[in-house]
Amino acid sequence: VPKRTYYATPVYIEGLPPMDPTAPIHVLHVDDEPDFATLIARHLERESERLVVHTATTAGEAFEITGIEPVPE
């Protein structure tokens, strides 16, 4: 399977520094099936050297990875 090339158009948001088109792209994949999460992470990382995939199997794990506090219900 040939490797795909992804092109991203930099988006400029007021108050944020310009996006570096060579910087890694971090992806968080959350799935309650650990084997499937690992499989998808490997597949995505093969698609582009820029992709860095983080996986979580619970919402709590995802919040921990991102450093975001969950909103109380």
Side-chain angles (χ1 to χ4, degrees):
V1 176
K3 208 164 199 180
R4 296 184 188 121
T5 302
Y6 292 91
Y7 299 95
T9 302
V11 175
Y12 300 99
I13 300 172
E14 188 175 332
L16 293 179
M19 186 173 87
D20 177 358
T22 63
I25 300 168
H26 292 266
V27 175
L28 174 58
H29 177 77
V30 183
D31 196 298
D32 62 351
E33 294 290 335
D35 293 337
F36 186 69
T38 301
L39 176 73
I40 295 301
R42 286 183 186 154
H43 177 74
L44 289 172
E45 287 175 336
R46 276 189 250 147
E47 287 295 312
S48 172
E49 291 178 4
R50 288 184 61 199
L51 290 178
V52 178
V53 183
H54 307 271
T55 60
T57 56
T58 65
E61 229 181 299
F63 282 119
E64 193 174 300
I65 290 169
T66 62
I68 298 172
E69 290 292 322
V71 177
E73 293 183 23

